[in-house]
Amino acid sequence: MFTDTLNHYPKMRQTQARLVSSTQLKNGMALARWSNQEDRIENIHSSHHTLSVYLNGAENSLRWQGSQTIASATSNSVCLMPANLDTNWEVRGPISHLHFYFSDTHLSQLIEQVWDKDGQRVQLDEIDFAEDALLTQLFCTTLGQSNWQDPLDQLALDSATQTALIHTLRHYSQRRLPTLRPTGGLPTWQLKRVVEFIEHHLNQPLTLKDMAGITGLSDYHFARMFKQTTGYPPHRYVLHRRLTRARHLLAETSLNMTEIALRCGFGSSSHFSNRFRAETGVSPTEYRTQQRS
C-alpha cells in the first residue's frame, strides 16, 4: 500500500521538505522521517492516516485553516491527520518529524485481534500538536533511533508500531476500548517451542509474526505473554540470545568476526561489533582477548 512513500506525497515533493529516510513495514504500514526549514505547504491530502510526531522544532510549525492558525507550545508534539483530510502548514524554522502511515484495515484487524471486537467503522480524531508522553518517547527513541533497514531492528519496529496503534485507538478514536492488562504468561510447552524456534533461527531475520505463529496467538498477545514469562520483550530476548551465542563463539572458537557475525544473525562484522560494544562495553576483539588471558 505504501510501497513508495514519496509517490503518495506529490505535494511534499513540490515543497522544501526533505525525505530523510523511509521504510515499508512487512505488515503494509510505513514510516518516513522528514525535515524542513522554511516553507508553506498547501492542500496536503492522503488516502491513509498519518500519525506525526515532531522529533524537534514543533514550535516552528503551524497549521492554518482560513484565518485560524494552530501552533505548538513545545518542541515535541503529536499530530494525527485522518485519511482524506486536507491540511495546510507553514514552517518558520527547522523541524524534524517522523510520520507513521496506516489504514483503516490495519485498525480493524488490530481491534479484532487484540480486543476480539468488531473492527468496522473506526473513526479517528483529528489532533493538532497534542502533548503525549508515550508517543513522544516511543517515536524519539525506539522508532527514531532504530535502523529501519536493519533486519535485527524489525522486531523492535513491529512492537513499537503496534504499541503506537493501540494507544492511538484507545486515546484518539471514537471507539471506547478498554485498557489491556496481561492475563498470564505462556504455557511451558508453548514457551519451549518458541525458544527452540528462536535458537534454530538466530542466524536469520525474525519477526514478531514468526514467533507468534508458533503459539497461534496474535502478535500483541504473544508479545505481552512472552514478556510476562521471560521478563524480556521479544526483540530484547532475541538480541540477548544472539549476543550470548556470540560470546560463546568468541571464547571457544577461532572463527573470524565476519563468520561469527553471520552465525549470530548480524549483517556484517561492523554491525556486529557496534551492537556487541553497545551491550557489553567492549569490542568483540577485546572480549576474546579477555577470555583467553
Side-chain angles (χ1 to χ4, degrees):
M1 181 177 296
F2 308 113
T3 304
D4 184 348
T5 304
L6 273 177
N7 285 342
H8 288 275
Y9 282 85
K11 286 283 186 178
M12 294 291 279
R13 288 187 294 171
Q14 296 169 16
T15 71
Q16 301 301 314
R18 183 174 70 91
L19 182 64
V20 179
S21 57
S22 66
T23 187
Q24 181 181 0
L25 304 174
K26 291 184 178 180
N27 52 19
M29 297 182 286
L31 292 167
R33 182 167 179 166
W34 298 91
S35 67
N36 209 336
Q37 182 85 21
E38 293 183 2
D39 207 354
R40 188 176 179 88
I41 306 170
E42 301 183 33
N43 299 320
I44 291 296
H45 179 96
S46 67
S47 59
H48 52 264
H49 309 301
T50 302
L51 178 61
S52 175
V53 178
Y54 283 81
L55 306 179
N56 55 67
E59 72 280 4
N60 295 323
S61 179
L62 60 85
R63 181 184 173 194
W64 51 273
Q65 296 174 292
S67 60
Q68 180 186 10
T69 60
I70 308 166
S72 175
T74 63
S75 183
N76 303 110
S77 59
V78 174
C79 296
L80 177 60
M81 302 293 110
N84 302 313
L85 179 71
D86 292 317
T87 59
N88 304 287
W89 305 85
E90 185 172 344
V91 181
R92 297 178 173 177
I95 65 170
S96 175
H97 50 176
L98 199 159
H99 283 184
F100 176 32
Y101 308 121
F102 52 94
S103 69
D104 280 338
T105 300
H106 297 117
L107 298 177
S108 298
Q109 290 175 345
L110 194 63
I111 291 173
E112 292 168 0
Q113 293 173 359
V114 174
W115 285 278
D116 194 24
K117 295 179 180 292
D118 179 10
Q120 301 303 310
R121 299 177 299 279
V122 180
Q123 183 178 347
L124 293 180
D125 299 329
E126 182 181 331
I127 303 298
D128 293 304
F129 301 114
E131 293 186 39
D132 189 309
L134 186 146
L135 289 178
T136 298
Q137 191 274 337
L138 195 66
F139 277 61
C140 290
T141 56
T142 305
L143 291 176
Q145 296 176 11
S146 295
N147 181 346
W148 297 351
Q149 313 308 324
D150 184 353
L152 287 181
D153 281 345
Q154 293 308 303
L155 273 175
L157 293 181
D158 288 348
S159 179
T161 52
Q162 187 178 82
T163 299
L165 277 188
I166 289 172
H167 183 81
T168 298
L169 279 168
R170 288 204 63 248
H171 295 276
Y172 304 122
S173 79
Q174 301 300 310
R175 293 292 294 268
R176 292 296 171 256
L177 298 166
T179 301
L180 295 163
R181 294 183 175 85
T183 57
L186 291 173
T188 302
W189 68 271
Q190 283 191 336
L191 179 63
K192 181 174 183 293
R193 288 183 63 189
V194 173
V195 167
E196 288 176 349
F197 177 80
I198 292 171
E199 292 299 319
H200 284 107
H201 295 83
L202 280 180
N203 64 332
Q204 302 172 28
L206 285 168
T207 68
L208 199 56
K209 189 177 185 65
D210 292 335
M211 293 185 285
I214 301 297
T215 65
L217 296 167
S218 71
D219 295 359
Y220 173 82
H221 289 298
F222 166 74
R224 296 310 185 269
M225 293 170 73
F226 184 90
K227 182 177 180 180
Q228 190 163 357
T229 304
T230 65
Y232 291 96
H235 69 279
R236 291 297 305 173
Y237 179 86
V238 170
L239 179 59
H240 170 72
R241 294 306 305 156
R242 292 186 199 277
L243 292 175
T244 298
R245 176 176 291 184
R247 289 189 187 94
H248 169 76
L249 294 175
L250 287 167
E252 304 297 332
T253 75
S254 58
L255 293 172
N256 63 42
M257 295 304 162
T258 298
E259 292 172 320
I260 292 175
L262 295 177
R263 290 194 184 194
C264 298
F266 298 93
S268 66
S269 57
S270 61
H271 186 193
F272 164 53
S273 181
N274 290 337
R275 286 297 181 100
F276 193 92
R277 182 185 291 276
E279 295 292 325
T280 67
V282 296
S283 71
T285 301
E286 291 168 337
Y287 181 83
R288 171 173 272 175
T289 300
Q290 291 173 0
Q291 294 302 304
R292 293 185 175 182
S293 63

